[in-house]
Amino acid sequence: MEFSILYWIQRLRHPILDELMQAVTFLGDAGWIWILLGVVLFCGKRTRRCGAAVLLSLLIGFFVGNLMLKNLVGRSRPSWIDQSIALLIANPDDFSFPSGHTLAGFEAAVSVLLYDRRKGTAVLILAVVIGLSRLYLFVHFPSDVLAGALLGTGIAYAAHWCVEKITALVGETYGGTMD
């Protein structure tokens, strides 16, 4: 069934969409856009806790998703199984499950959403489009992207909880906050 969805998406291919999806997926490569977002937010006094939550989420997700789950599950990518589809990007050499691009995007987006609904919604839209780009580019199965979104959301909530607990402890100990 997942290949049916991927093949249907392949029928949507168009030169304009090809360029757009390559550019969008590039934003998620190695999580650089999300790391940059976290650093920028962390540097601002009013957004420091949000930045800390984004960065903590990304760190947890890297270990849980990229280092542990990908290797434990060991799922082949659709592009490895069906090599008849011409790829628009380099064929990734790590396993497919979960989608790291989607995982990082949802970690960052939900972290921002928990502190600022309006800005978080904009970041969430970008995370969703990056996840969809992985399907369009034929390098992930839909369940990889769904798992990345769900896991990223859960990790973001956990990181948010940690940041708030640490902030409260710092405030009690030193009479101030992280902000």
Side-chain angles (χ1 to χ4, degrees), residues 55-66 103 107 155 158-159 162:
L55 295 171
L56 181 59
S57 290
L58 293 170
L59 184 63
I60 294 168
F62 175 73
F63 284 106
V64 172
N66 289 25
L103 175 64
E107 289 162 354
I155 289 171
C162 289

Side-chain angles (χ1 to χ4, degrees), residues 92-145:
D93 57 5
D94 61 338
F95 291 115
S96 188
F97 184 91
S99 166
H101 280 69
T102 309
L103 175 64
F106 273 77
E107 289 162 354
V110 173
S111 291
V112 174
L113 193 62
L114 290 170
Y115 287 96
D116 184 323
R117 187 166 303 284
R118 188 177 54 80
K119 291 177 183 160
T121 300
V123 178
L124 186 59
I125 290 168
L126 178 58
V128 168
V129 174
I130 288 175
L132 293 174
S133 77
R134 306 305 283 170
L135 302 175
Y136 185 90
L137 296 169
F138 204 72
V139 293
H140 278 292
F141 290 103
S143 59
D144 301 335
V145 171

